[in-house]
Amino acid sequence: MARTVTPVNLSPDSRSREVSVPFWRAATPPPMVDACLAAGTHYLDVTGEIEVFEAVFARHDDAVAAGIVLLPGVGFDVVPTDCLAASLSAALPGATSLELAFRAGGGLSPGTAKSSLAGMASGGRVRRGGVLVPVAVGTPRRRVPLPSGERAVAAIRWGDLVTAFRSTGIPDITTYTVLPSGGRGAGLASVMSWGPLRALASRYVTARIHGPNAEVRASSRCEVWGSVRDASGASMTATLTGPNAYDLTADSVVRAVGLVLAGGVSAGAHTPSSAFGAGYAATLDGVLVTPPQSA
């Protein structure tokens, strides 16, 4: 089930004083979005699943008609990456390819771990020619210059395969992360597709994974690298560093709710950058963005 905080009453003078902010598993968004549309309640979430982004964005016209904002992904998935993608696209308007890579220290929460297991069982994805394309988990791979140094990264099905496409229109998108499993990702994905084993892994997560505590969060950080390229071969890169991903998420959720309730975000389905601008991530505590520069 979704974990929700609703209503959130931050602005007594706003037109709508209720906002729903759930953490979704991919199978559960339609009822909440339906309820928000019926009640005239803005909807924000901290999802990272590409299926949820697609489902919410498909309700854009309904949200416009209802006069509400649908804004998925207001946490680490996908605020830093979406804002970096939008700034890179603005710096190179004719870009045809986008690559994003991130590293998030400090470990996972149970919800993130379970969502990752489900995503792994569904296989990898990249976007090519504007279309989501299945690929083997962990491919392609490459090395990227993250702010902390060059790292080997592997492709994953990250939310920006949907959100960055909506924010920028760039047709070819690959998203990467530093994977501790190295070359074993494809094999692990194969066994995770077997329901009983996936259920066992989920029970293990519930029993043994509790998420990073305050001390771990205070001592760990996140970092993002992005690159765009156009048909002529011109390219731009940019980077971002920030606090622990869960601390960044908490900060962003509170700010995003306040900004939506204050007005100024048009009705409809949004990404973080289309709602608040590409500079939104840089307003969060502890976030430092290196502006796009020629590669």
Side-chain angles (χ1 to χ4, degrees), residues 36-234:
C36 287
L37 289 167
T41 298
H42 299 308
Y43 168 99
L44 292 79
D45 74 30
V46 293
T47 191
E49 295 96 335
I50 60 177
E51 296 84 0
V52 175
F53 288 120
E54 289 190 308
V56 174
F57 293 152
R59 308 303 299 274
H60 173 76
D61 290 344
D62 295 334
V64 171
I68 67 167
V69 172
L70 303 180
L71 179 52
V74 292
F76 183 78
D77 301 16
V78 289
V79 165
T81 43
D82 180 62
C83 289
L84 205 65
S87 67
L88 283 163
S89 178
L92 191 66
T96 57
S97 69
L98 165 68
E99 292 183 295
L100 295 164
F102 70 92
R103 177 173 177 262
L108 304 178
S109 72
T112 303
K114 290 178 181 180
S115 294
S116 297
L117 288 173
M120 188 177 295
S122 300
R125 296 290 187 276
V126 297
R127 189 174 287 274
R128 297 291 182 264
V131 178
L132 288 173
V133 177
V135 295
V137 171
T139 60
R141 300 185 181 119
R142 59 163 298 173
R143 298 186 69 84
V144 302
L146 288 168
S148 64
E150 187 174 274
R151 303 266 184 172
V153 296
I156 61 167
R157 46 188 298 146
W158 195 244
D160 287 275
L161 294 171
V162 177
T163 53
F165 179 63
R166 187 174 183 88
S167 297
T168 70
I170 296 174
D172 292 356
I173 302 174
T174 309
T175 53
Y176 304 89
T177 193
V178 177
L179 290 179
S181 58
R184 297 190 297 274
L188 184 59
S190 178
V191 297
M192 283 298 108
S193 65
W194 187 46
L197 186 56
R198 191 166 67 252
L200 180 63
S202 181
R203 288 196 293 272
Y204 174 85
V205 167
T206 300
R208 301 296 296 273
I209 295 181
H210 306 292
N213 60 27
E215 182 179 358
V216 170
R217 294 197 309 273
S219 63
S220 56
R221 294 182 63 76
C222 66
E223 52 185 343
V224 181
W225 167 89
S227 176
V228 287
R229 184 177 299 272
D230 67 15
S232 73

